Amino acid sequence: MSSVRTNIQPNLLDYEETLTSFSWDNIAGELSGLPQGKGLNIAYEAIDRHSTGNLKDTVAFRFIRKNRVVDDFTYSMLQKQTSKFANVLKNLGIKKGERVFSLAGRIPELYITALGTLKTTAVFCPLFSVFGPEPVFQRMNKGEASVLVTTSALFEKKIKQLMEKLPSLRFIILSDAAGHLSGKVLSWSKLMEQASDEFIIPKTDPEDPALLHFTSGTTGMPKGALHVHKAVLTHYITGKFVLDFHPGDIFWCTADPGWVTGTSYGIIAPLVNGVTSIIDEEEFDAKRWYSILEEHKVNIWYTAPTAIRRLMRMDINVKETYDFKNLRVILSVGEPLHAEAVIWGEENFGFPILDNWWQTETGGIMIANYASVKVKPGSMGKPLPGVEAAIAKVNDKEITIISSPDKQGHLVLKKGFPSLFRAYLNDEERYNKCFLGEWYLTGDLAKKDADGYFWFIGRADDIIKTSGHMVGPFEVESTLMKHPFVSEAAVIGKPEPSIGELVKAFVVLKSGNEPNDEVKMNIMGFARKEMGPAVAPKEIEFVESIPKTRSGKILRRLLKARELGLPEGDISTLEQN
Ligand code: AMP
């Protein structure tokens, strides 16, 4: 399946050749670096270096408000606004390394906060605005927040009650308050009014901390992964090679900055590559999304499997209803992208959806499908040039790389790429456990085929051991979803003494299908035929919806806890239906 759609030549023309010629030092040379050799700062690469040149009047961010009013910020406007905010922080006495949090929807102030904070060499930490007070507290407490930027409504609802419990929190800045509420609770507009729009970015070591991201917690308590300014090399090169940014492109990343994708690719990568980003304040809405793609002439669209699956379920004739002639590349991340979804992309848009794999800890895309490389539907693709990925057998203290193809094992990445996290905040032991020798252990299981494509199996924690077989839930879910009645499925292992664990599936039926025994037997029979009786689910339960994180990942851990009557653990990222 080829993925080249138009006559625009992909930036990564020859994957194999680039693998051999690639060096991170050369990539650093494609960026500017701070003037006078003062180091490397993400915000400088993203904005300041563009703001006086050819790109100064190019739209950097196009905000689409809930009511669809559009707010454009050019590179030069963004440069001034972020410098102003950097001065706000400086005037408040915020120092290098201190943490500036945001708790807001996708409003301009959030984006200005992110980039302004990076300019000062303080550390930016975005939170999902839908978090309740407890998860907000946990993260701000663990992250020792000095400043929080939020809205008046969120402040009233979630923060006021926490203030006494957060001794490190010095200032709260309200994006929409007309005046200061106290010496500690301040008005964004008042502070910005008084701040100069000239700010010289201080010396920034490429290893200086820049971003703190709490992981989405599909398997346990959230951890704070710390990234450094040097990660911008990955943001830049993945923007160029994977997202295939070209001058003049209009790009839309649908992710919220509360999830790492919404920061690395919703803020940094498109700016570093000098393109225009669309930011929609509203949540998923199929018709709204399609109309944004059409109306704003989006060229490159980065979204998640959960959204794609929802679009696939809608009764909308995409080809006849919309004109997507500008759309060139569609990409997906966060969860496995089923082969059907890749093919659905081909049928509806004329080219396959490009799946790619990475994690909060890797800071940027690591394994990807590329516009110029043949797509094998269902595969995550091949490693980014500059990243060495392998399948390994991992014991307590030993790691053995598996070189023969199609063998299942741990997905590991060789240390040394710039965006790999540098710490789990206040948890050195847990951090150290992620490494064996020169390898970073991702916690995922995968296999690599003879052509070098990687195939996702599952999170190591989610793997089901049944009658001597190791079963990845994704494999079973993918099969179930091929059944014409099944809309969504999630699979767990349920302890069963005689066979270790039995495969249990939670199934959402497509509308119009009755959840009765006949349908259940029909689906079970189908799964047995497709996968064999050892792997097919032995139990099926019909449910109304599948619990997922805000970023669209199935919370199998939660399904399992509920099934076994165990504590639910951290469910702060649970998407409320
Ligand atoms: P997070 O750090 O919350 O973004 O979660 C990262 C995890 O999401 C990875 O370790 C994988 O388990 C999963 N993931 C991300 N992208 C993909 C993908 N393309 N295919 C399969 N799993 C993915």
Side-chain angles (χ1 to χ4, degrees):
M1 195 181 266
S2 150
S3 59
V4 184
R5 168 150 200 240
T6 66
N7 50 8
I8 292 186
Q9 238 188 22
N11 292 317
L12 182 75
L13 257 189
D14 186 337
Y15 176 81
E16 297 301 330
E17 192 282 321
T18 311
L19 276 188
T20 46
S21 61
F22 186 93
S23 98
W24 285 109
D25 285 345
N26 289 347
I27 300 308
E30 290 184 30
L31 296 177
S32 302
L34 284 170
Q36 289 135 27
K38 285 202 297 187
L40 183 71
N41 184 296
I42 295 177
Y44 185 82
E45 302 304 326
I47 325 166
D48 286 26
R49 69 178 179 137
H50 300 313
S51 63
T52 50
N54 291 343
L55 287 171
K56 71 178 192 311
D57 297 325
T58 297
V59 174
F61 285 144
R62 165 162 294 181
F63 292 95
I64 304 175
R65 299 302 187 117
K66 287 194 177 162
N67 59 7
R68 295 203 72 146
V69 166
V70 167
D71 234 346
D72 280 347
F73 283 66
T74 62
Y75 276 87
S76 79
M77 284 161 71
L78 195 59
Q79 197 266 340
K80 289 199 165 59
Q81 291 292 310
T82 52
S83 286
K84 262 179 179 281
F85 187 72
N87 278 319
V88 165
L89 293 179
K90 192 175 161 193
N91 297 342
L92 292 174
I94 301 304
K95 301 265 170 343
K96 178 178 184 148
E98 281 195 70
R99 279 130 208 177
V100 177
F101 278 60
S102 66
L103 180 75
R106 289 180 291 280
I107 54 174
E109 290 81 357
L110 187 163
Y111 293 76
I112 294 166
T113 300
L115 293 156
T117 301
L118 292 170
K119 283 189 170 182
T120 66
T121 66
V123 174
F124 174 63
C125 179
L127 299 179
F128 273 118
S129 60
V130 289
F131 280 158
E134 187 52 31
V136 170
F137 168 71
Q138 274 183 25
R139 287 162 175 81
M140 287 185 46
N141 190 39
K142 197 166 186 178
E144 293 170 281
S146 295
V147 178
L148 172 70
V149 176
T150 188
T151 64
S152 301
L154 291 170
F155 170 69
E156 287 296 330
K157 214 163 127 193
K158 302 178 182 176
I159 304 300
K160 235 177 173 175
Q161 55 191 297
L162 300 176
M163 280 167 70
E164 279 185 8
K165 293 201 303 184
L166 291 167
S168 69
L169 186 60
R170 290 159 58 198
F171 301 105
I172 296 164
I173 303 176
L174 302 181
S175 63
D176 52 354
H180 299 323
L181 267 58
S182 67
K184 182 167 175 172
V185 184
L186 306 167
S187 145
W188 171 278
S189 50
K190 280 271 165 296
L191 291 169
M192 289 290 271
E193 227 171 76
Q194 288 151 9
S196 153
D197 62 10
E198 278 178 28
F199 182 85
I200 296 181
I201 297 178
K203 191 170 186 316
T204 312
D205 190 290
E207 285 297 317
D208 280 343
L211 299 159
L212 176 64
H213 286 295
F214 285 93
T215 65
S216 53
T218 41
T219 52
M221 286 304 284
K223 304 158 272 186
L226 197 64
H227 291 276
V228 296
H229 279 272
K230 201 177 179 185
V232 71
L233 268 64
T234 306
H235 302 142
Y236 164 70
I237 201 60
T238 49
K240 186 170 165 180
F241 285 171
V242 185
L243 303 168
D244 197 38
F245 290 138
H246 283 71
D249 271 342
I250 299 182
F251 169 62
W252 184 21
C253 170
T254 59
D256 188 280
W259 175 35
V260 66
T261 304
T263 300
S264 293
Y265 296 98
I267 306 180
I268 302 168
L271 294 179
V272 176
N273 283 278
V275 302
T276 298
S277 265
I278 302 283
I279 296 159
D280 184 25
E281 194 181 356
E282 196 48 280
E283 296 307 315
F284 176 88
D285 170 338
K287 288 194 175 141
R288 180 177 169 110
W289 278 28
Y290 281 139
S291 71
I292 288 177
L293 288 172
E294 182 180 50
E295 199 178 303
H296 294 278
K297 302 186 168 50
V298 173
N299 305 111
I300 302 163
W301 183 34
Y302 196 16
T303 190
T306 176
I308 294 166
R309 285 198 294 268
R310 284 164 89 171
L311 292 175
M312 286 169 73
R313 285 203 297 274
M314 309 290 302
D315 197 13
I316 300 177
N317 186 330
V318 180
K319 275 204 278 201
E320 277 177 20
T321 321
Y322 301 97
D323 174 2
F324 292 135
K325 65 172 176 301
N326 297 289
L327 205 51
R328 199 173 78 235
V329 190
I330 307 180
L331 309 103
S332 160
V333 70
E335 268 210 312
L337 187 68
H338 303 253
E340 290 69 41
V342 179
I343 294 160
W344 175 82
E346 175 102 68
E347 285 167 0
N348 286 278
F349 299 94
F351 49 95
I353 299 172
L354 303 179
D355 186 19
N356 51 76
W357 176 97
W358 59 291
Q359 333 172 280
T360 305
E361 287 82 350
T362 68
I365 298 168
M366 295 284 113
I367 298 177
N369 287 285
Y370 307 87
S372 58
V373 179
K374 180 176 158 262
V375 172
K376 293 195 189 183
S379 158
M380 314 192 279
K382 297 182 172 197
L384 181 79
V387 169
E388 195 176 331
I391 303 298
K393 213 170 130 192
V394 176
N395 295 326
D396 255 5
K397 290 206 166 43
E398 242 184 315
I399 178 163
T400 320
I401 300 301
I402 305 172
S403 47
S404 38
D406 300 323
K407 291 270 185 298
Q408 181 171 315
H410 288 261
L411 176 60
V412 296
L413 304 171
K414 197 176 255 179
K415 288 195 287 195
F417 60 90
S419 61
L420 185 59
F421 71 135
R422 300 296 195 267
Y424 279 136
L425 209 62
N426 308 329
D427 208 342
E428 206 180 329
E429 198 184 324
R430 204 159 176 183
Y431 178 75
N432 290 337
K433 272 199 191 143
C434 297
F435 297 91
L436 254 185
E438 58 187 345
W439 295 95
Y440 161 61
L441 317 177
T442 67
D444 282 359
L445 299 184
K447 58 189 180 187
K448 181 180 163 185
D449 70 17
D451 301 323
Y453 287 74
F454 282 75
W455 300 78
F456 183 77
I457 307 279
R459 291 289 303 164
D461 307 349
D462 285 339
I463 293 300
I464 304 162
K465 296 172 195 89
T466 183
S467 308
H469 297 276
M470 303 279 271
V471 179
F474 166 57
E475 188 190 344
V476 184
E477 289 156 9
S478 300
T479 305
L480 290 171
M481 281 171 62
K482 285 190 204 150
H483 189 284
F485 297 170
V486 176
S487 163
E488 276 192 287
V491 167
I492 60 162
K494 182 176 162 186
E496 165 63 53
S498 58
I499 52 171
E501 285 180 304
L502 71 75
V503 177
K504 166 153 190 178
F506 296 84
V507 168
V508 180
L509 290 175
K510 284 188 186 152
S511 56
N513 295 294
E514 279 293 311
N516 57 33
D517 283 348
E518 198 186 327
V519 171
K520 198 178 275 185
M521 294 318 288
N522 190 312
I523 297 173
M524 273 188 177
F526 170 82
R528 267 195 216 121
K529 214 166 114 211
E530 290 277 312
M531 320 187 67
V535 177
K538 296 222 169 5
E539 260 183 43
I540 288 184
E541 182 177 332
F542 293 120
V543 287
E544 292 287 318
S545 63
I546 304 280
K548 296 201 196 90
T549 65
R550 298 279 316 162
S551 53
K553 295 174 205 292
I554 296 175
L555 274 164
R556 297 186 188 83
R557 170 183 61 80
L558 180 60
L559 281 170
K560 194 160 178 172
R562 286 179 180 167
E563 178 71 30
L564 305 180
L566 298 170
E568 295 193 346
D570 174 52
I571 52 163
S572 53
T573 56
L574 179 65
E575 182 186 47
Q576 307 295 338
N577 288 303

